Amino acid sequence: VIVLDCPCLLFRFDPAKIDWENLKKVGITADTLKNTRDFDRVMRGYKSRNTYTVSGTVGGFYLKPTDVKLSFYQAKDGTVVPKLHGVQQ
C-alpha cells in the first residue's frame, strides 16, 4: 500500500507556478476552483466541468463577459498558462 502525503504528487501542474493574480483579474481564483470542485481536475490537465463567467482587461485586451471552461497547458518556457475555452450559448 502506497500512502501519498501530498495530493500535489498527482497533479500535472504545480499550482505554485500559476499566475493567479492575472486569473483573478478576469474573475477566477484558486478558491473559486476549489469551491466548485474543479481545482484537482484542472491541475491534473483536464478541462473544468463547470463554466465560469470571465471579464476584465488582460494584457491590454478587454474581455467582455463570456462563459468559459478552463484548462491549463505548459508553455515551452515551462510556465503554466491558463487556456479559456469559450462556451456557445
Side-chain angles (χ1 to χ4, degrees), residues 7 11 33-34 37-46:
F11 292 161
L33 294 174
K34 288 175 184 174
R37 297 190 174 139
D38 269 333
F39 186 82
D40 288 357
R41 184 173 175 79
V42 296
M43 290 301 115
R44 288 186 181 117
Y46 298 103

Side-chain angles (χ1 to χ4, degrees), residues 1-2 7-8 13 18 22 26-29 33 39-40 42 45 47 53-54 62 69-71 75-76 79 83-84:
V1 175
I2 299 173
C8 61
F13 304 114
I18 295 172
N22 268 336
V26 295
I28 297 176
T29 64
L33 294 174
F39 186 82
D40 288 357
V42 296
K47 193 185 312 182
T53 301
V54 296
Y62 174 73
K69 289 191 175 193
L70 175 72
S71 67
K76 290 182 182 180
T79 58
K83 185 173 185 180
L84 305 177

Side-chain angles (χ1 to χ4, degrees), residues 12-78:
R12 180 176 177 188
F13 304 114
D14 181 0
K17 292 185 177 179
I18 295 172
D19 185 359
W20 293 107
E21 286 304 312
N22 268 336
L23 267 177
K24 187 176 182 180
K25 290 178 185 176
V26 295
I28 297 176
T29 64
D31 289 336
T32 303
L33 294 174
K34 288 175 184 174
N35 291 338
T36 57
R37 297 190 174 139
D38 269 333
F39 186 82
D40 288 357
R41 184 173 175 79
V42 296
M43 290 301 115
R44 288 186 181 117
Y46 298 103
K47 193 185 312 182
S48 65
R49 285 194 175 129
N50 298 298
T51 58
Y52 301 92
T53 301
V54 296
S55 65
T57 304
V58 177
F61 292 96
Y62 174 73
L63 183 64
K64 69 178 188 174
T66 307
D67 289 336
V68 299
K69 289 191 175 193
L70 175 72
S71 67
F72 291 97
Y73 70 95
Q74 191 158 10
K76 290 182 182 180
D77 65 0

